[in-house]
Amino acid sequence: MEKLDWKNLPFGYIKTDFNIRCLYKDGKWGKPEVSSSEYIDIHIAATALHYGQEAFEGLKAYMGKDGRIRVFRWEENAKRMISSANGVKMAPVPVELFREAMLKVIELNKKFVPPYGSGATLYIRPLLYGSGAEVGVNPAKEYTFLMFVTPVGPYFKGGIKPVNMLICRDFDRAAPLGTGTFKVGGNYAASLRAIISAREGGYANIIFLDAREKKYIDECGPANFFAIKDNTYITPKSESILNSITNMSLIQIAESLGMKTERRQVPVEELSSFAEAGACGTAAVISPIAKIFDPSNNKVYEYCKDGEPGKESMKLYNKLVAIQCGDEEDSFGWVTIVD
Ligand code: PLP
Ligand code: COI
């Protein structure tokens, strides 16, 4: 293995030694198998390729100071993958199979878990897709579940450095009764035009609004949105966003720190009243927002004027990361020590 520069890893793909694959055929799941290939052989008429019948997950393994490897709330990812599978009519992966694959893939790639304190983590990517052939629009009869890992650095450049976001009014990521609550590839394909237009304008990412009225904040690219004012953690409730496990956890952490929490519709105009704003997710962890630009009225909403993250966001971030890497006692029961 070539030496990895742990402190400067991008959020990208780095080859590791092994991945796990498992096939669903004749109505049942087979045994998970270990592969050292980075490639899959796929039927030319697989439903994943033509009709986007696929779902994925994202979770992380963290190296503690004690040299032990921890994963954060993996059961929530397993459950969400079942919900996503049902959302696009795939055979769901049983929680126990998810667990078995996860433990194996971490164990086999232990040397790729970034060291404690490096700011990097081992990203675990479970994937489920329709591998059976169909030409009509039908669910496949065969599925493939695979899991690979790759060491990653922060999703947003600079890690906890505040970033700028653009409000999206030209594109929608998901429709209210569509698949926005599922972690399916089509949502990410649908988000690309908006993400690229934001990046071309010099923004770190895009803020999607509710597709029906374009009045309320939905989410921030591949992360949920949160804001803070009057000792209250506020995050959007919407029928078209992914229910973030990080966000769910931050709500509980905020409450444990004596903050109030609200999960409700967040009108765009309310942006001017927030003291702090941020994006949260497994990949993003917490990415504080410095500025949000709304092109419809050329309004700029500014947080972190001095370029530093807000105090409350930092408190939440420090507590979350301390639990994830085992620096602080896991009083919520979120962490599983896997090695
Ligand atoms: N929203 C979207 C669209 C995402 O892709 C993700 C990433 O998984 C999130 C939110 C954050 O979810 P989580 O905290 O469960 O990773
Ligand atoms: C995650 O936060 O785990 C994600 O899946 C985001 C990813 C789409 C980059």
Side-chain angles (χ1 to χ4, degrees), residues 11 56-59 123 125 155 183 188 222 281-284:
F11 188 90
F56 69 99
E57 268 305 325
L59 63 162
Y123 187 69
R125 175 53 68 86
Y155 191 78
K183 203 162 167 63
Y188 297 81
T282 298

Side-chain angles (χ1 to χ4, degrees), residues 74 78 94-104 145 147:
W74 68 268
V95 173
E96 188 45 40
L97 174 56
F98 187 102
R99 179 177 166 274
E100 194 182 338
M102 179 188 78
L103 295 179
K104 192 88 197 154
F145 170 50
M147 212 182 269

Side-chain angles (χ1 to χ4, degrees), residues 42-43 45-54 90 128-132 140:
I42 188 163
H43 194 287
T47 60
L49 297 180
H50 298 260
Y51 304 128
Q53 205 193 15
E54 73 92 61
M90 297 194 286
L128 169 66
Y129 59 92
S131 42

Side-chain angles (χ1 to χ4, degrees), residues 11 27 55 112 141 158 182 194 217 226 228 234 283 291 304 311 314:
F11 188 90
F112 295 98
K141 292 178 193 69
F182 307 122
I217 308 284
F226 72 89
I228 292 164
I234 299 158
K291 278 186 208 162
C304 337
K311 265 218 301 267
M314 270 323 282

Side-chain angles (χ1 to χ4, degrees), residues 161-165 275-279 287-293 300-310:
K161 280 240 177 70
V163 296
N164 296 337
M165 299 271 182
E276 297 178 30
S287 197
I289 299 178
K291 278 186 208 162
I292 300 174
F293 179 60
V300 179
Y301 301 94
E302 251 193 292
Y303 310 98
C304 337
K305 286 208 175 66
D306 51 1
E308 292 300 317

Side-chain angles (χ1 to χ4, degrees), residues 10-60:
F11 188 90
Y13 180 80
I14 290 170
K15 185 181 185 312
T16 57
D17 287 344
F18 299 103
N19 56 79
I20 310 291
R21 294 131 188 250
C22 187
L23 299 182
Y24 178 91
K25 214 176 161 177
D26 301 325
K28 54 179 191 302
W29 284 102
K31 285 248 160 303
E33 285 177 12
V34 175
S35 170
S36 58
S37 168
E38 292 170 282
Y39 293 90
I40 48 175
D41 205 15
I42 188 163
H43 194 287
I44 54 174
T47 60
L49 297 180
H50 298 260
Y51 304 128
Q53 205 193 15
E54 73 92 61
F56 69 99
E57 268 305 325
L59 63 162
K60 283 174 171 173

Side-chain angles (χ1 to χ4, degrees), residues 71-83:
V71 288
F72 185 70
R73 305 195 78 175
W74 68 268
E75 283 119 318
E76 295 300 329
N77 295 91
K79 284 194 268 174
R80 191 168 65 189
M81 198 169 204
I82 292 174
S83 156

